[in-house]
Amino acid sequence: MKKVYLDNASTTPLRPEVIQEITKVLTEDYGNPSSTHSLGRNAKSILELSRKSIAKQLNATAQEIIFTSCGTEANNWILRSAVKDLKVTRIITSKIEHHAVLHTAMELQKEYAIQIDFVNVKSNGELDLTHLVELLSEEKKTLVSLMHVNNETGAILDLGRVSRICQEHNVLFHSDTVQSVGKTKIDLQTIPIDFIVASAHKFHGPKGVGFAFVRKNSGLQPLFFGGEQEKGQRPGTEAVHQIAGMAKALELSYQNLEAESQYIASLKDYAIERLKANFPEFKINGENTFHNLLNVILPIEENKTAMLLFHLDMKGIAVSRGSACQSGSIRPSHVLAEMLSEEDLKKPSIRISFSHYNTKEDVDLLIEGLKSI
Ligand code: PLP
């Protein structure tokens, strides 16, 4: 049975060049980057070249890139240290953030009694930036944490505009850019943002590795202690093979960005066209969404909602309902809950997310699969 993988917002298949790079480093470059002998120095050099390469893709400096185990860790680190060390007493975020931000903010509220304010979400899934400005009129030591591309709907935040709003109000700005790094250009010299985070497995790199961009002289302090790695900011022996794989994946993503994103956007258009033809009453959740994400309400009986993903899975088709961590659960997505009517929320929504490895045939098979439910 042909596998149809349309769940690329959850994770992506590795590029062959990335597998090659990881295998090479695992096989040949096994030194500990902290060792002073030649094997160690070689591993250290791979690490630093990877850091430089990643920094270059985002127009940052190498010292501003700190490797972490994943996007979740990077988000946790930035939010926690902002409160603990930078003495932030208020976080402004939104209810449509990934739980890596939302649950961390709620935990910090419990631990440090900080104020949490939520920017209003519009029915098209975008944030109300007028409301953000209103919230910022209250003067407090603040961190704004708003994601760049929403992982469920693909709603896009204007990173440049929000950065400038934050700069004007003299507050810190962090963005969870896990869904956008490697998929759209981000120029950290022109965007005055303080912190962003990334996760390699979202851009055809390995799982279990990510990074934080932390602007120079931020004052952020480590979460962990016990080593000098990452200049003491993130101790622990570095996963050199993962980091080299991540750098390779990011380099290739940006090298092929234009052609691949155009192709992916054309697949999304094709999917919309096929859905229109076969399910005229279908609705898209969100407006002007990111080119690789399509979240739709299907005109399928509500009692079939719970079985929908299972049914598609039986046919070898992988899509998602809301975010990956909620797949299989029948709780409504916390993101869709903020933007849909009660009635629409009860209807089955699926998230279809594309990569350059998908084809029109994959879309056709998905439509056939949906028709047979
Ligand atoms: N933030 C967003 C927007 C995500 O989509 C994800 C992954 O689903 C994460 C954070 C978590 O990243 P990681 O899997 O690297 O912990």
Side-chain angles (χ1 to χ4, degrees):
M1 182 169 60
K2 182 179 175 345
K3 288 272 179 209
V4 174
Y5 187 72
L6 287 165
D7 198 18
N8 291 280
S10 295
T11 196
T12 51
L14 276 77
R15 290 183 196 265
E17 300 92 325
V18 172
I19 297 175
Q20 252 173 26
E21 181 69 20
I22 293 174
T23 311
K24 182 215 154 251
V25 175
L26 276 174
T27 317
E28 297 168 19
D29 310 306
Y30 50 83
N32 185 325
S34 297
S35 302
T36 51
H37 49 63
S38 67
L39 268 169
R41 292 199 307 276
N42 179 45
K44 178 85 177 166
S45 145
I46 292 171
L47 206 62
E48 295 314 321
L49 287 172
S50 301
R51 196 188 312 279
K52 258 196 199 158
S53 158
I54 290 171
K56 191 170 150 224
Q57 305 298 338
L58 301 168
N59 206 7
T61 62
Q63 73 192 82
E64 293 171 314
I65 304 297
I66 313 294
F67 298 127
T68 63
S69 67
C70 59
T72 302
E73 182 194 326
N75 281 327
N76 268 263
W77 174 38
I78 293 161
L79 265 60
R80 180 163 289 272
S81 181
V83 172
K84 187 167 149 286
D85 307 306
L86 308 183
K87 307 299 176 205
V88 156
T89 57
R90 171 176 66 166
I91 294 179
I92 299 180
T93 185
S94 80
K95 290 192 176 160
I96 58 168
E97 298 299 308
H98 189 274
H99 285 149
V101 165
L102 217 42
H103 288 179
T104 306
M106 300 321 281
E107 186 59 32
L108 289 166
Q109 184 184 36
K110 261 198 261 162
E111 285 180 44
Y112 293 89
I114 55 162
Q115 180 178 332
I116 308 270
D117 289 329
F118 296 103
V119 180
N120 292 339
V121 181
K122 300 194 275 188
S123 59
N124 68 359
E126 289 174 1
L127 296 184
D128 178 354
L129 296 187
T130 313
H131 185 226
L132 169 65
V133 174
E134 270 168 39
L135 289 172
L136 284 169
S137 66
E138 186 185 344
E139 279 189 33
K140 267 198 157 190
K141 179 81 182 166
T142 297
L143 172 79
V144 172
S145 178
L146 298 173
M147 70 204 310
H148 190 191
V149 170
N150 185 277
N151 54 298
E152 294 194 33
T153 62
I156 304 167
L157 185 80
D158 183 339
L159 217 51
R161 184 162 165 218
V162 175
S163 297
R164 284 185 292 277
I165 292 174
C166 290
Q167 198 178 35
E168 279 159 23
H169 289 84
N170 203 17
V171 298
L172 294 164
F173 180 32
H174 157 255
S175 183
D176 177 343
T177 50
V178 163
Q179 291 290 341
S180 60
V181 166
K183 302 194 187 104
T184 186
K185 279 261 171 232
I186 298 176
D187 183 335
L188 294 167
Q189 286 311 312
T190 56
I191 301 174
I193 191 166
D194 298 285
F195 313 106
I196 72 165
V197 311
S199 178
H201 73 98
K202 306 287 186 184
F203 51 85
H204 306 283
K207 291 169 187 61
V209 66
F211 65 86
F213 158 82
V214 176
R215 197 167 295 276
K216 232 173 288 171
N217 306 322
S218 72
L220 229 56
Q221 298 298 313
L223 265 194
F224 309 145
F225 298 88
E228 282 309 307
Q229 293 92 348
E230 301 297 287
K231 298 206 167 68
Q233 297 218 72
R234 203 286 186 179
T237 303
E238 305 89 338
V240 185
H241 60 296
Q242 305 285 72
I243 291 168
M246 172 163 69
K248 180 57 107 186
L250 195 65
E251 181 195 323
L252 292 170
S253 289
Y254 280 122
Q255 205 169 295
N256 300 306
L257 184 70
E258 208 167 314
E260 286 179 357
S261 47
Q262 266 176 27
Y263 173 69
I264 292 167
S266 75
L267 279 181
K268 176 174 167 174
D269 288 345
Y270 180 68
I272 294 172
E273 185 195 302
R274 297 315 303 148
L275 281 165
K276 260 188 203 148
N278 290 281
F279 301 95
E281 289 138 61
F282 97 106
K283 277 197 239 171
I284 300 177
N285 293 320
E287 255 173 8
N288 307 319
T289 54
F290 206 52
H291 61 272
N292 74 332
L293 270 151
L294 178 59
N295 195 315
V296 293
I297 303 181
L298 296 164
I300 288 175
E301 289 161 49
E302 280 162 28
N303 60 8
K304 290 184 177 164
T305 306
M307 293 303 287
L308 185 61
L309 289 191
F310 176 69
H311 199 92
L312 291 174
D313 189 32
M314 295 291 286
K315 294 180 180 297
I317 301 165
V319 291
S320 193
R321 181 179 165 280
S323 92
C325 36
Q326 293 179 337
S327 307
S329 99
I330 49 159
R331 265 185 312 152
S333 130
H334 73 283
V335 174
L336 297 184
E338 290 302 312
M339 50 189 279
L340 299 187
S341 65
E342 284 290 320
E343 196 192 332
D344 277 351
L345 205 52
K346 283 193 219 133
K347 295 180 186 155
S349 280
I350 58 166
R351 179 186 69 179
I352 308 160
S353 48
F354 305 92
S355 86
H356 62 281
Y357 290 122
N358 290 121
T359 59
K360 281 187 172 178
E361 191 198 350
D362 291 343
V363 174
D364 293 338
L365 287 166
L366 169 67
I367 301 291
E368 287 313 308
L370 288 173
K371 273 166 54 182
S372 69
I373 288 168

